[in-house]
Amino acid sequence: MPETWSDWYKKNGRWSKARRWSRQNFKKGEQLALDLYDSVDDDVWERLINFDIPAILGSKWYHQVTIAPGVVIPGTFAMKDSFPSLGFSSSISGKRILDLGCADGTFSVELAKMGADVVGVDAFDIRIRNAEFLAALHAVGDKIEFICDDISNIEEEIGTFDYIVMSHVLCHYSPSHRRQITKTLSKLLRESGVLVLNTNTKKRDLRTISTHFSLVSENRIHHPKLPSTVMHFIPLRAAESAAKERVKSLTPSEKIIPCSNCGCT
């Protein structure tokens, strides 16, 4: 291990790339990289050696992430508070999940660690770079495909999914784009699937999403920086199918609707 990351970058011909980062960010990333090197086994380090580690760790992350014992990447929101609120359980092993607006890949990686096959999409290449680093760190790179693209460009060719996750994404789009995205999601989510939406613009997003999905649960998150609501939806076609099955299972007396005026039958 070189004495400093500056020496390592010079030795490996990457110094010119690293210099593009401000001195402050690079120094922060350099220290985190050294702390990480001291905290992980050699086989973990081998998976990471091809990444610009100081640049990655020195960049601004959306979530605060612990990448090794005592080594924490600063972020706007604490990962330990954000992910559990989505309501996933260990039963997602083998499920296919689409993480739209995946940012630094923190949710994607957690879902992959639980056994899911994940596709993460984000419009910013710096976020995808961070996400690929995090996936390599946790040895789940083979469980995740990251795509750098705007989510409004996602098409049906990407396949169908058991779950679709969007966290604070729709608020960045115009009404017409939100409608377009919602229509596409209705084609990507399997009939038995669930759309998980985390939003701080509940009323607006609910109006849009409800054109193709039915709300089944919601949970308010009281966060001092960004209070939001996590809502779970199922496709309208699934809700309609379930309603029809419910009617079929009713007894003749249950199918009789009381008079709205007096309650008589």
Side-chain angles (χ1 to χ4, degrees), residues 156-173:
E156 294 177 56
E157 286 74 13
I158 198 173
T160 58
F161 297 85
D162 298 294
Y163 294 90
I164 297 176
V165 181
M166 288 195 298
S167 185
H168 300 291
V169 174
L170 284 181
C171 57
H172 299 294
Y173 291 88

Side-chain angles (χ1 to χ4, degrees), residues 55-143:
I56 290 171
L57 299 185
S59 64
K60 185 176 181 179
W61 285 57
Y62 187 77
H63 283 116
Q64 180 187 93
V65 184
T66 300
I67 55 175
V71 185
V72 180
I73 303 175
T76 306
F77 301 100
M79 179 64 187
K80 63 181 180 64
D81 297 331
S82 300
F83 183 74
S85 65
L86 299 182
F88 284 100
S89 67
S90 57
S91 61
I92 64 171
S93 180
K95 301 294 185 180
R96 193 162 189 253
I97 301 179
L98 178 61
D99 184 5
L100 291 175
C102 66
D104 304 300
T106 46
F107 288 169
S108 295
V109 168
E110 288 300 313
L111 292 168
K113 286 165 64 177
M114 296 170 69
D117 296 308
V118 184
V119 177
V121 182
D122 201 273
F124 299 99
D125 56 357
I126 189 172
R127 296 296 190 193
I128 294 297
R129 178 205 62 182
N130 291 358
E132 290 173 342
F133 165 82
L134 198 62
L137 174 67
H138 291 281
V140 291
D142 61 331
K143 299 283 290 180

